[in-house]
Amino acid sequence: ANYLFGKERDPNGRADGAKRMQGFRVGGQYMFRENIDFFALATVQRMHFEKQNATFLAFRNDETTDFTIGMNWRFMKSWTMKPQWVYSKNATNILIYAYQRNEVSVTVRRDFN
């Protein structure tokens, strides 16, 4: 688990200006068998923008939530397959910045010892 915070500068004159952010992340991993691990991760992050958006006449505030679940399967010596699913949601007071996203990926990795 960890707590995160920071400030992002105003890149190229963004309409909402710089942003302050804070949040937390918690996750874990469980070894099911010698060659299979399951993992899960959850993150919540709040962002507050410093300039009033001139188009929407509002100070933008976002809350992003991410959930990840997956596994590591070591199917041969030095080879790992990692399927995972990531769900992301951005809730905001300026609706054009709101979204929900599902990502599914499979990564195959070879370790060279």
Side-chain angles (χ1 to χ4, degrees), residues 50-112:
E50 294 182 345
K51 284 186 187 175
Q52 183 178 35
N53 185 300
T55 303
F56 298 100
L57 301 176
F59 286 89
R60 181 176 161 196
N61 294 298
D62 291 9
E63 182 174 286
T64 302
T65 308
D66 296 307
F67 298 103
T68 303
I69 59 171
M71 67 182 277
N72 293 306
W73 173 37
R74 292 168 295 283
F75 60 95
M76 290 173 53
K77 182 180 165 103
S78 301
W79 286 91
T80 304
M81 181 181 292
K82 179 182 170 183
Q84 72 177 17
W85 169 67
V86 180
Y87 170 78
S88 301
K89 179 180 179 180
N90 191 61
T92 179
N93 63 323
I94 300 178
L95 294 180
I96 66 165
Y97 298 111
Y99 64 85
Q100 289 185 33
R101 176 174 52 222
N102 284 285
E103 298 176 46
V104 175
S105 64
V106 177
T107 304
V108 177
R109 182 175 112 177
R110 167 86 159 84
D111 293 318
F112 298 93

Side-chain angles (χ1 to χ4, degrees), residues 6 8 22 24 26 29 42-43 49 65 70 84 87:
E8 183 179 282
Q22 65 178 348
F24 68 92
V26 63
Q29 186 166 326
T43 305
F49 293 79
T65 308
Q84 72 177 17
Y87 170 78

Side-chain angles (χ1 to χ4, degrees), residues 11-12 31 33 38 59 90 99:
N12 301 318
M31 182 181 276
R33 292 196 318 212
F38 292 102
F59 286 89
N90 191 61
Y99 64 85

